Amino acid sequence: MAAVQTETLVDRAAAVLSARRLADADTPAMLMVSGGSDSTALAYIACELRERGALGQLAMLHVNHRLRGEDADEDARFVAQLAELLDVPLFSCEIDIAGEAQRTGENVEAVARRERYLAANEALESLCLHAATPLADGRILTAHTADDRVESFYMRSIVGTGPGGFRAMKYRNGPVVRPLLDASREELRAYIAERERDGAPVACDDAGCLWREDATNAHTDRFRAYVRHEIVPRAKERNPQLLEVLGRTMNLIADEDDMLEDMVDGLMAGHVEALGDEYDAGCVLAPAFGAEPLPLRRRAVMRALQLMLGRDARVETASVEAVLAAFDDEAGGKPRSGYVANIQGDLAVSANKRGVRIEPMSAYRARRKRG
């Protein structure tokens, strides 16, 4: 491993927080710490950032998914030791992810991610209350790296993605902030090793390891692990600077994506109206919506459906296309009177000369019955 100057890595994280206006000295930050190398490095770096005045009050969250038996319990003990070493309050919980996945019929990894972030938001609320700071000003810090971002890029390249998908990961997504997105996993491991060499306090597990290894990360039958161990190394053979080069490319994509999203804000404000205070009851797309450029319409429909289906729902391409099909491009984008479609979430899409309406199927049938 190449040696990394501790100050340099912390400087880079501080620069990301400052340049992208992600956090400052008044920002309470909940650190999501699994005990792996990346999140262990995040804990050390966040404490240095707090000392510099780049972050406010800190706390850690560790979620035991109860998927790996004694290994998971050892992860929890390691994180508890790390929190005590750094004098950072620790929120810790256990969730039966396998049981929840069996109950709901969902993918285990998807359930784990949802439950982990639900726990993070609850813990952040408690931290902000203690810090006397509005919840909107708090942040959840994750240890996603340049490696994670590149892996996501290739995963989406294989299975396909929607508008903006090739930016792969955002530096900020709601309350979630990723200050290490420009650093590699190798750099973070070198940073931890250097702390130990310099005599700085470090946590160790029973085997003397400076972080915990999750053996399931090596299972190439899991999609991300397959990309991590089979695809990315091949790409690095052709370009050793892959992380840096692809990171710049994704940032270019992100800049254009942000511009388009700003344009969608205007389109939504002028041509999309919620049927209630929120989008739960549905929305109406004005007739003029159909005359807007297709890429903006597609993004606006996706955003509207996301608001209706929930933040964690995956909006299906077929659903977006079904809404777009309610406008007749050959007739200048006018709504197709009489058009009706049933899309994911049992939502009804219907069109008349007043626009295109998206609403729960039960509401659509009730209106039809009254009519």
Side-chain angles (χ1 to χ4, degrees):
M1 269 182 241
V4 175
Q5 294 296 319
T6 301
E7 191 71 14
T8 301
L9 193 55
V10 177
D11 276 342
R12 285 161 55 191
V16 168
L17 294 178
S18 176
R20 296 181 179 276
R21 299 180 182 178
L22 303 178
D24 57 32
D26 298 321
T27 304
M30 179 62 59
L31 314 177
M32 296 184 73
V33 182
S34 67
S37 60
D38 300 350
S39 63
T40 298
L42 173 68
Y44 293 133
I45 291 170
C47 286
E48 293 198 52
L49 291 171
R50 178 188 57 187
E51 291 171 6
R52 289 183 177 204
L55 283 175
Q57 292 190 34
L58 302 180
M60 291 187 198
L61 169 70
H62 178 76
V63 179
N64 184 340
H65 295 154
R66 295 175 58 185
L67 292 172
R68 297 166 40 246
E70 179 60 24
D71 282 343
D73 294 336
E74 290 183 12
D75 292 348
R77 286 192 288 271
F78 175 84
V79 174
Q81 179 197 151
L82 179 65
E84 183 177 3
L85 179 75
L86 297 174
D87 193 25
V88 174
L90 174 65
F91 292 80
S92 184
C93 63
E94 293 187 9
I95 303 173
D96 182 8
I97 296 298
E100 181 65 12
Q102 185 175 25
R103 185 184 70 81
T104 63
E106 296 175 272
N107 175 275
V108 169
E109 292 181 0
V111 172
R113 183 185 184 281
R114 183 184 68 237
E115 294 298 324
R116 193 162 59 243
Y117 280 100
L118 283 173
N121 278 283
E122 290 179 7
L124 180 64
E125 186 173 357
S126 178
L127 173 62
C128 288
L129 185 65
H130 183 268
T133 302
L135 179 59
D137 292 343
R139 298 289 183 265
I140 297 168
L141 267 60
T142 71
H144 290 107
T145 65
D147 297 80
D148 295 309
R149 197 180 186 197
V150 166
E151 290 161 12
S152 293
F153 179 91
Y154 281 113
M155 289 169 72
R156 294 175 183 185
S157 298
I158 292 170
V159 301
T161 186
F166 284 123
R167 71 188 299 164
M169 286 184 176
K170 295 181 177 181
Y171 289 88
R172 178 183 174 187
N173 188 13
V176 178
V177 165
R178 302 179 173 103
L180 305 179
L181 209 53
D182 293 334
S184 70
R185 186 170 295 118
E186 182 181 10
E187 288 178 304
L188 296 183
R189 292 183 174 189
Y191 162 80
I192 297 173
E194 188 166 334
R195 279 183 65 92
E196 183 186 38
R197 288 195 300 272
D198 290 345
V202 291
C204 294
D205 68 6
D206 292 341
C209 297
L210 300 177
W211 59 80
R212 296 284 301 162
E213 291 285 1
D214 182 350
T216 61
N217 286 336
H219 295 174
T220 55
D221 57 334
R222 296 192 176 190
F223 189 24
R224 181 174 290 276
Y226 168 75
V227 170
R228 178 177 299 175
H229 297 292
E230 300 291 335
I231 294 178
V232 173
R234 295 288 187 90
K236 284 183 176 179
E237 289 175 5
R238 298 299 297 264
N239 183 1
Q241 303 303 315
L242 178 71
L243 297 186
E244 180 182 350
V245 170
L246 195 49
R248 285 200 301 266
T249 299
M250 287 186 283
N251 283 341
L252 291 174
I253 294 171
D255 288 344
E256 295 182 0
D257 184 53
D258 289 340
M259 180 188 71
L260 289 168
E261 285 298 298
D262 287 343
M263 295 172 71
V264 170
D265 289 342
L267 189 155
M268 296 283 289
H271 299 317
V272 182
E273 181 179 0
L275 291 173
D277 293 336
E278 304 291 339
Y279 274 72
D280 294 352
C283 64
V284 176
L285 313 180
F289 181 92
E292 295 289 336
L294 178 59
L296 297 183
R297 281 188 281 147
R298 185 179 289 117
R299 285 171 175 264
V301 169
M302 181 169 286
R303 188 187 296 183
L305 292 177
Q306 195 78 68
L307 290 168
M308 293 183 67
L309 295 168
R311 181 177 175 179
D312 293 327
R314 182 179 182 276
V315 178
E316 297 172 0
T317 300
S319 297
V320 175
E321 294 302 319
V323 176
L324 294 174
F327 294 92
D328 187 349
D329 288 339
E330 294 184 0
K334 293 180 180 179
R336 299 177 187 269
S337 291
Y339 176 93
V340 178
N342 187 355
I343 61 174
Q344 70 180 110
D346 201 24
L347 298 178
V349 182
S350 59
N352 58 36
K353 63 182 181 180
R354 293 188 297 276
V356 173
R357 192 179 184 103
I358 311 171
E359 62 191 326
M361 182 59 73
S362 58
Y364 169 76
R365 287 173 176 158
R367 284 196 307 106
R368 294 280 292 179
K369 189 174 181 180
R370 289 196 300 270

